[in-house]
Amino acid sequence: MSVSIGQSIPDFTAQATGDQEITMAQFRGRQVVIYFYPKASTPGCTTEGGDFRDRKADFDTANTVILGVSRDGIRAQENFKTKQAFNFDLISDKDESVCRLFDVIKLKKMYGKEHLGIERSTFLIDSEGKLAREWRGVKVKDHAQEVLEAAQALNDGSLDSA
């Protein structure tokens, strides 16, 4: 089962950087961007995280929290966050429970071999905890800006959440 536009996101608990457990319920009243990336400290994931980092003040103004998610362990996430000076939390989803909730585990091909991996995807959740927008098969270039614009529109009421 995965969530679809207009549906409430089921509350989940996940291990995150800063030695904390994050739940969806703790963000009620704020919008949330959850972006899924394949692997910490790889070039595309570093660029994407940096793009979100560099726009964090604008996301804050739009009442929007940013969370990054991958299957990396918490130590790898902590190192990635520290090295890249990310100003938002990263979730370690080793058991893939959050990935499966959002249906981002896909069959991928690398060097001619198939494997299951995270499809780069982003989800915008409204302040009531409902999925407002989703982006799947994301290309990193200009993506964080597009998500920011959607978050701003949702916050000021010009983007309807279903």
Side-chain angles (χ1 to χ4, degrees), residues 20-85:
Q20 61 183 328
E21 281 194 343
I22 285 184
T23 66
M24 275 310 297
Q26 80 188 64
F27 299 115
R28 283 288 146 79
R30 297 192 68 192
Q31 298 175 166
V32 181
V33 165
I34 299 180
Y35 80 95
F36 291 84
Y37 57 94
K39 188 153 181 54
S41 301
T42 56
C45 300
T46 299
T47 299
E48 183 178 28
D51 288 348
F52 279 109
R53 175 198 61 218
D54 296 346
R55 290 167 176 77
K56 184 173 183 301
D58 293 326
F59 277 103
D60 288 345
T61 300
N63 192 35
T64 305
V65 174
I66 303 166
L67 296 171
V69 182
S70 77
R71 298 182 303 178
D72 293 291
I74 197 66
R75 180 175 288 144
Q77 296 290 50
E78 290 284 6
N79 291 342
F80 189 35
K81 179 180 177 179
T82 300
K83 185 172 182 188
Q84 300 304 324

Side-chain angles (χ1 to χ4, degrees), residues 20-147:
Q20 61 183 328
E21 281 194 343
I22 285 184
T23 66
M24 275 310 297
Q26 80 188 64
F27 299 115
R28 283 288 146 79
R30 297 192 68 192
Q31 298 175 166
V32 181
V33 165
I34 299 180
Y35 80 95
F36 291 84
Y37 57 94
K39 188 153 181 54
S41 301
T42 56
C45 300
T46 299
T47 299
E48 183 178 28
D51 288 348
F52 279 109
R53 175 198 61 218
D54 296 346
R55 290 167 176 77
K56 184 173 183 301
D58 293 326
F59 277 103
D60 288 345
T61 300
N63 192 35
T64 305
V65 174
I66 303 166
L67 296 171
V69 182
S70 77
R71 298 182 303 178
D72 293 291
I74 197 66
R75 180 175 288 144
Q77 296 290 50
E78 290 284 6
N79 291 342
F80 189 35
K81 179 180 177 179
T82 300
K83 185 172 182 188
Q84 300 304 324
F86 291 157
N87 45 12
F88 53 87
D89 288 307
L90 301 178
I91 291 174
S92 170
D93 191 34
K94 283 182 82 80
D95 70 358
E96 299 178 354
S97 58
V98 181
C99 290
R100 293 194 187 286
L101 177 65
F102 288 90
D103 192 30
V104 298
I105 301 292
K106 303 291 181 188
L107 194 60
K108 299 169 86 176
K109 251 191 181 135
M110 187 184 290
Y111 308 118
K113 292 187 175 166
E114 291 186 336
H115 69 283
L116 287 174
I118 291 179
E119 175 185 50
R120 194 180 302 278
S121 305
T122 303
F123 301 86
L124 175 61
I125 300 158
D126 72 15
S127 59
E128 295 172 8
K130 293 182 178 159
L131 183 60
R133 287 277 310 266
E134 64 179 22
W135 295 263
R136 294 184 179 272
V138 166
K139 301 287 182 250
V140 172
K141 186 172 172 26
D142 301 323
H143 176 63
Q145 182 63 36
E146 184 182 344
V147 175

